[in-house]
Amino acid sequence: MTAGATTAHAADTPLRDLAAAKGKAMGTAVTGSKLTGTYGDIAGAQFNWLTPGNAMKWGSVEPTQGNFNWTEADQIVAFAEAHDQDVRGHTLVWHSQNPSWLTNGTWTPAQLGTLLDNHIATEVGRYKGRLAAWDVVNEPFNEDGTYRQTLWYNGLGTGYIARALTAARAADPAAKLYINDYNVEGVNAKSTALYNLVKSLKEQGVPIDGVGLQAHLILGQVPATLQQNIQRFADLGVDVAITELDVRMALPSDSAKLTQQAADYKAVMNACVAVARCTGVTVWGFTDSDSWIPSTFPGQGAATPYDENYAPKPAYYAISEALGGTTTPPPTGACTATYSVANQWNTGFTGQVRIACSGAALSSWKVSWTYGAGQQITQAWNATCTQTGTAVSCVNASYNGTVPDGGSVTFGFNASWSGSNPVPTVTLG
């Protein structure tokens, strides 16, 4: 049986401290509404950079023209300032997640340009002096290296990129300005187009400080030319950041996939550590419960360094090791769940499950099993239990998620049965 949300890593050096010692950022995308409890604790303790996952996108901050909603963006910036973290603004100019009033409007080039200028002046200006960097332009290229046909390209031509960067520099001269894209991690047609764009912008004197390589990767597919590609951008005189790292896999995950994922995370970290101008790595959500992958790529997931119960996965330890840390993964089987029948009669029974830890601890837990003889849970206490067919899943109540090292918790339930009542195999985690 495997442990769920272990906190055994708490004694290890936080990732942010390891990264800082190497002059690097270790960031994560976050959802503002979740920045409390265990999620907030990990976000604050382990990372020194935060990226708002959605809160600063145009559709979020200006859902109707002229009416702004800064609530979540402000919340994330305030959290970062309270936890001595830098913020990466994301993103000012993009083809996606725009408000319908903008995408459905009929604009002349002059009007579109004014909308672009005003949006950047308003948003960047609001956080002037408080954000360390901005993804100014996001995903400008197609896979073959041609420009993506977007509202901005179609209305303003390639000049929209220089215009956006110039407007952002005017709004906050201190913030580092980036162009960000995906599938540009290795040397290929798309990354070469980005390289040529950055080279051209530099030659024209357009303000451009860095390139963001998103790194939404597939298990076992870290580009062999990643470090070479980071270096060629650095040689142009710009910084490079890994901005949205995750490594997705076909579900369910298993130990072999998690081992490969850890190797993939370590390879990306190593490539960044090896290049002086690679400023750091941001993971796109640190826990699987806050990942975009399952809804976008059905059947895939488990892409982040922590599982849905906030237990650090092998990927977490791989990141730590790449940053020079020495980590001690919690021992396998340190936390166990034991199922027993406390009382039984001709139509039903009372069961209980005891979760105990020795050598690790839990901050939350989930126990599951499959019945084999028609048993049906009718009520539960000290846990929330759901049963679908023969499959049962029970999670901790709000008050008993913590199982300390050397401690235990117990929950119980009543169930009906007929014929026989064999004890099922229980899985924790």
Side-chain angles (χ1 to χ4, degrees), residues 150-409:
T150 70
L151 171 73
W152 308 111
Y153 177 84
N154 294 337
L156 300 171
T158 59
Y160 84 89
I161 296 173
R163 182 170 184 156
L165 290 162
T166 301
R169 174 68 87 232
D172 187 350
K176 298 292 187 181
L177 308 181
Y178 279 71
I179 300 174
N180 191 53
D181 215 328
Y182 66 92
N183 288 353
V184 291
E185 295 76 33
V187 176
N188 56 35
K190 192 175 188 180
S191 65
T192 297
L194 180 58
Y195 176 90
N196 290 333
L197 169 63
V198 172
K199 186 172 186 287
S200 173
L201 292 169
K202 291 280 288 183
E203 289 167 351
Q204 296 170 55
V206 175
I208 173 72
D209 300 304
V211 169
L213 314 180
Q214 291 184 14
H216 293 297
L217 302 176
I218 298 170
L219 190 72
Q221 296 186 25
V222 178
T225 51
L226 174 59
Q227 184 178 324
Q228 174 192 341
N229 193 42
I230 294 172
Q231 187 65 59
R232 71 165 175 165
F233 279 104
D235 291 342
L236 285 177
V238 295
D239 292 336
V240 180
I242 306 296
T243 53
E244 305 181 20
L245 175 63
D246 49 29
V247 181
R248 64 186 183 269
M249 64 182 72
L251 296 173
S253 67
D254 58 36
S255 59
K257 293 176 186 175
L258 292 172
T259 299
Q260 178 63 55
Q261 182 185 56
D264 293 345
Y265 268 93
K266 195 167 190 176
V268 174
M269 297 299 302
N270 286 343
C272 182
V273 168
V275 180
R277 290 202 72 152
C278 184
T279 62
V281 176
T282 289
V283 294
W284 204 244
F286 62 85
T287 168
D288 291 342
S289 65
D290 193 41
S291 172
W292 71 299
I293 294 296
S295 62
T296 307
F297 300 96
Q300 298 184 60
T304 76
Y306 287 77
D307 72 15
E308 293 184 350
N309 294 317
Y310 303 117
K313 291 151 63 173
Y316 166 88
Y317 299 103
I319 293 170
S320 177
E321 289 163 11
L323 291 171
T326 55
T327 60
T328 307
T332 301
C335 295
T336 59
T338 306
Y339 179 111
S340 60
V341 176
N343 187 24
Q344 183 172 303
W345 56 97
N346 59 351
T347 60
F349 67 97
T350 299
Q352 73 174 27
V353 174
R354 181 175 181 265
I355 300 153
C357 290
S358 177
L362 299 178
S363 56
S364 64
W365 46 262
K366 176 182 177 182
V367 178
S368 56
W369 65 85
T370 301
Y371 277 130
Q375 301 100 319
Q376 183 72 39
I377 289 180
T378 55
Q379 73 175 121
W381 50 92
N382 297 330
T384 301
C385 293
T386 56
Q387 182 169 351
T388 305
T390 59
V392 178
S393 177
C394 298
V395 297
N396 60 274
S398 61
Y399 52 82
N400 67 351
T402 300
V403 185
D405 187 356
S408 66
V409 299

Side-chain angles (χ1 to χ4, degrees), residues 14-160:
L15 299 181
R16 61 180 289 169
D17 295 348
L18 295 171
K22 290 189 174 293
K24 304 291 184 183
M26 188 68 222
T28 183
V30 292
T31 300
S33 61
K34 297 182 180 179
L35 284 171
T36 60
T38 304
Y39 181 98
D41 291 344
I42 295 173
Q46 292 290 335
F47 303 98
N48 56 8
W49 279 65
L50 298 183
T51 300
N54 291 295
M56 290 185 178
K57 292 170 181 174
W58 200 320
S60 298
V61 298
E62 194 180 1
T64 58
Q65 189 170 5
N67 294 304
F68 294 90
N69 180 0
W70 304 106
T71 304
E72 189 189 358
D74 285 353
Q75 180 184 18
I76 292 169
V77 173
F79 181 96
E81 290 173 343
H83 292 82
D84 192 26
Q85 295 166 310
D86 287 313
V87 177
R88 178 180 204 87
H90 179 81
T91 179
L92 296 170
V93 185
W94 191 27
H95 65 272
S96 186
Q97 289 185 246
N98 289 314
S100 58
W101 67 263
L102 178 63
T103 55
N104 295 337
T106 303
W107 315 107
T108 65
Q111 290 171 325
L112 194 60
T114 299
L115 286 169
L116 183 72
D117 294 342
N118 290 346
H119 174 73
I120 293 172
T122 301
E123 183 159 11
V124 178
R126 179 179 182 82
Y127 299 107
K128 181 180 180 181
R130 299 175 70 191
L131 265 62
W134 277 98
D135 292 327
V136 179
V137 175
N138 201 40
E139 302 173 2
F141 290 108
N142 294 315
E143 296 306 298
D144 63 0
T146 58
Y147 281 94
R148 188 190 289 270
Q149 305 287 307
T150 70
L151 171 73
W152 308 111
Y153 177 84
N154 294 337
L156 300 171
T158 59
Y160 84 89

